[in-house]
Amino acid sequence: SIKPEMRLAEFPVMDNEFVLVGATPPVSGEVWSPDRLASVSLLFREPGSATRQMMERYIQQHGINVKMRMELSSNEAIKQSILAGLGYSIMPKVSVLADLEQRNLFIQPVRGLPIRSYWSFVWPEGKKPNPQAQEFLDSVKANLHDHLVRFQSKRVNGSKS
């Protein structure tokens, strides 16, 4: 956990979108209101996970009283539970790209989603990374563009922002 007062050096890597994921295709053109989440079973990550924090912040900002169906400790467990028809979850889109492409899972459009964040490498400001970490960062920096181009080509649902 990072303390709010900690000063960090950062290398931004990529955008990250949180979307509502379900096992059934959405009705064409239908965008749910946030209140609709009160009428479906929601699957949550464990307390303390960044995904859980994003989901709880969205629910709180919209004043929604939701039904937590289950609390699970991994995105894979959430995906499998959605596939089994146990509910919906707000998840990082990157964690379900293959399932979206294969049309096993679907993004249900909801007002206020996606929530956009970004992934970064961070380290204490003023502290030089050790040689192995520096070599890794240098490799990421040198190859990031090519990886992001490949990743961007895999984005689905027309969302390339």
Side-chain angles (χ1 to χ4, degrees):
S1 153
I2 298 173
K3 298 175 184 166
E5 68 275 4
M6 184 180 272
R7 297 183 55 88
L8 299 172
E10 153 179 46
F11 175 70
V13 177
M14 65 182 279
D15 292 331
N16 186 27
E17 297 177 328
F18 289 82
V19 295
L20 184 67
V21 178
T24 56
V27 174
S28 180
E30 180 183 25
V31 178
W32 287 2
S33 72
D35 293 342
R36 178 88 179 263
L37 297 183
S39 66
V40 298
S41 294
L42 290 176
L43 308 171
F44 282 71
R45 284 291 306 268
E46 75 283 2
S49 81
T51 298
R52 169 91 174 236
Q53 292 169 3
M54 286 287 200
M55 190 170 178
E56 287 178 336
R57 188 175 312 128
Y58 177 83
I59 289 166
Q60 183 180 22
Q61 287 172 345
H62 290 88
I64 309 164
N65 189 11
V66 299
K67 294 183 248 176
M68 183 192 310
R69 173 107 188 230
M70 296 176 98
E71 184 178 280
L72 300 157
S73 62
S74 72
N75 285 339
E76 187 60 32
I78 297 247
K79 286 189 323 186
Q80 293 304 315
S81 297
I82 293 169
L83 286 167
L86 297 178
Y88 291 82
S89 189
I90 295 175
M91 301 183 67
K93 187 175 179 181
V94 68
S95 70
V96 293
L97 281 176
D99 294 288
L100 294 170
E101 288 173 332
Q102 295 166 10
R103 301 190 54 78
N104 295 326
L105 295 176
F106 301 89
I107 294 173
Q108 173 59 58
V110 181
R111 266 195 334 270
L113 293 177
I115 300 167
R116 287 177 170 62
S117 69
Y118 62 97
W119 287 342
S120 295
F121 291 112
V122 296
W123 58 93
E125 193 174 89
K127 183 175 180 183
K128 187 176 178 181
N130 68 36
Q132 295 84 359
Q134 188 62 56
E135 187 173 330
F136 176 75
L137 281 171
D138 292 344
S139 175
V140 168
K141 289 176 184 177
N143 297 294
L144 184 60
H145 176 76
D146 292 339
H147 289 296
L148 288 178
V149 166
R150 281 198 301 275
F151 175 74
Q152 292 287 3
S153 72
K154 291 189 174 291
R155 292 191 142 196
V156 295
N157 272 8
S159 175
K160 292 193 179 201
S161 57

